[in-house]
Amino acid sequence: MNQLLQISACAVTLLLSTSFMAQGQVKEDFVPSTKNHPGKEYPMVNSQGYARFKVDAPEAKSVTVTLGLGGSGGTKLEKQADGSWMGTTAGPMD
């Protein structure tokens, strides 16, 4: 649960700190957010303002990252081969 709170806090900070508009496809130029906790790689953001999340939860049945802003239900993450879950927001974070 603590990890979820850290991810949520980082996501809200990320939301407030990015203001790029998307044009076309999502660029794969993701880098760790400057607002991350020291030593943490995720969440990441790209030059268009999209956010990418990764959560280590190998026993989970599903993982969704929400920012609590009344959006469309959050970003559903997909399970990776290593047991982690990863996903990218549907649009840029304004």
Side-chain angles (χ1 to χ4, degrees):
M1 186 63 154
N2 188 27
Q3 186 177 21
L4 181 58
L5 292 175
Q6 287 178 347
I7 291 169
S8 296
C10 287
V12 168
T13 302
L14 183 69
L15 175 69
L16 296 174
S17 66
T18 56
S19 62
F20 296 102
M21 296 301 293
Q23 297 179 7
Q25 293 183 329
V26 178
K27 292 182 181 179
E28 288 298 324
D29 60 351
F30 286 89
V31 296
S33 171
T34 59
K35 305 296 182 184
N36 287 359
H37 290 279
K40 298 296 181 182
E41 187 177 8
Y42 288 87
M44 292 184 153
V45 346
N46 74 359
S47 61
Q48 298 167 301
Y50 286 79
R52 181 167 287 165
F53 302 95
K54 181 177 181 182
V55 176
D56 292 319
E59 302 300 318
K61 302 290 185 212
S62 68
V63 176
T64 302
V65 175
T66 61
L67 302 177
L69 301 174
S72 63
T75 300
K76 293 185 180 191
L77 308 187
E78 294 183 20
K79 192 166 191 175
Q80 306 299 299
D82 67 357
S84 67
W85 294 76
M86 189 176 290
T88 303
T89 57
M93 304 281 87
D94 293 328

